[in-house]
Amino acid sequence: TWKNFAFNTFLLFYYNQVLGLTASLASAAIMIALVIDAITDPLVGSLSDHFRSRLGRRHPFMYASALPLGITLYLAFSPPAGLGETGLFVWLTAFAVLVRTAMTFFVVPWNALFAEFTEDYNERTAVVTYRYVVGWLGAVAFTFLAWTFIFPSSPAYTPGHLNPAAYDIFAPVIGIAVTVAAFLTTHLTRREIPYLLQPGSGLSFSPLGAAREVLLALRNRSFLWVFLAILFGGAVAGVSAALTIYMQTYFWGLNPEDLRWFVLSAFGAIFAFV
């Protein structure tokens, strides 16, 4: 959730409006990362499905990705000074790809765990529901604190998220927070490893096998309709998320002191949870 807040709210805005990278190049860099992410997701999923270790097949990837995820997030928001437009484009492309790849190695096995904790439908629903309420609460707290203490407006920079110095604070905070959260999530579920499903004997990972698994899933008509719905819904949500900060800043004229109160909308989700 925190990684998505950083990427969806600030990445395009930071490179375009604060660092001066043209919107077309910044958007192209983010698009390249998304295309690569669409390739690595099923590959990592298949690799995780077939992996064997004393820590099971999910947790090794989650442990291994926690630190790289934090480091690459930090570097994505910390480009060296003096980079020209080409340098900023290359930096953004490289670290957007690396962040999404590190996130894939964490979140794909992490999501797969929910289907393995229990075979009972009601228990599985409860597990996922608690996952969302914890995520919402964490997002509310982090978002409110970030707008209040990292991006406050000042006479020189109003609104405060146009202040380049604010991102010098935001970069290490988001990097450390995501690494700690990923590690804790992994470690606190470690006791469940003996009870999780294990890959069948004789099965091993191969990129060609992963491609066959994707094609097999797409032949399922029900899955195909769900996939297409999520694809188009994700496209709309992605555009909305990327442009929201522009609308809030330049159309509505809102400052961080105003934007922090938008987190109150999350209480609707809390009521739904109850």
Side-chain angles (χ1 to χ4, degrees):
T1 303
W2 296 343
K3 173 263 174 188
N4 288 339
F5 170 66
F7 260 46
N8 295 346
T9 303
F10 294 115
L11 192 65
L12 177 62
F13 186 88
Y14 173 55
Y15 276 84
N16 174 224
Q17 295 296 300
V18 178
L19 299 181
L21 182 63
T22 59
S24 57
L25 285 178
S27 301
I30 294 171
M31 181 194 70
I32 291 169
L34 283 168
V35 170
I36 294 175
D37 192 44
I39 297 170
T40 57
D41 274 5
L43 288 174
V44 172
S46 182
L47 176 61
S48 172
D49 285 344
H50 297 97
F51 193 74
R52 293 179 179 84
S53 78
R54 65 182 184 85
L55 289 176
R57 55 180 180 168
R58 312 297 185 193
H59 285 71
F61 297 102
M62 294 163 64
Y63 273 121
S65 62
L67 185 58
L69 180 56
I71 292 173
T72 52
L73 255 176
Y74 165 76
L75 292 172
F77 286 95
S78 303
L83 292 179
E85 189 161 81
T86 301
L88 282 173
F89 171 73
V90 172
W91 187 274
L92 174 57
T93 303
F95 283 99
V97 169
L98 290 172
V99 168
R100 289 197 173 275
T101 301
M103 190 67 180
T104 292
F105 275 94
F106 174 78
V107 81
V108 171
W110 181 67
N111 279 327
L113 285 177
F114 294 105
E116 300 179 2
F117 281 142
T118 175
E119 295 181 358
D120 182 86
Y121 177 84
N122 291 323
E123 287 183 344
R124 186 178 294 170
T125 302
V127 168
V128 175
T129 303
Y130 276 104
R131 163 206 169 179
Y132 275 105
V133 76
V134 171
W136 272 98
L137 290 173
V140 165
F142 186 85
T143 303
F144 185 86
L145 293 173
W147 285 127
T148 302
F149 296 108
I150 299 178
F151 297 104
S153 298
S154 66
Y157 291 99
T158 300
H161 47 284
L162 288 172
N163 183 1
Y167 294 89
D168 294 336
I169 301 172
F170 181 72
V173 168
I174 190 66
I176 292 170
V178 168
T179 291
V180 171
F183 179 80
L184 286 177
T185 299
T186 304
H187 197 67
L188 293 175
T189 56
R190 182 173 176 171
R191 63 183 181 181
E192 302 296 329
I193 292 173
Y195 310 105
L196 301 178
L197 297 173
Q198 297 300 317
S201 60
L203 297 177
S204 59
F205 167 78
S206 73
L208 186 59
R212 284 197 295 265
E213 290 167 356
V214 171
L215 293 175
L216 179 64
L218 291 174
R219 289 194 190 103
N220 183 306
R221 184 177 294 272
S222 298
F223 172 82
L224 180 61
W225 281 111
V226 172
F227 170 76
L228 290 174
I230 293 174
L231 179 66
F232 286 104
V236 173
V239 172
S240 175
L243 296 182
T244 292
I245 188 66
Y246 285 85
M247 291 291 293
Q248 291 171 335
T249 302
Y250 298 115
F251 183 79
W252 295 110
L254 298 174
N255 296 325
E257 291 74 19
D258 307 312
L259 294 174
R260 62 185 174 180
W261 298 111
F262 276 68
V263 300
L264 294 177
S265 64
F267 285 100
I270 305 302
F271 292 135
F273 164 77
V274 175

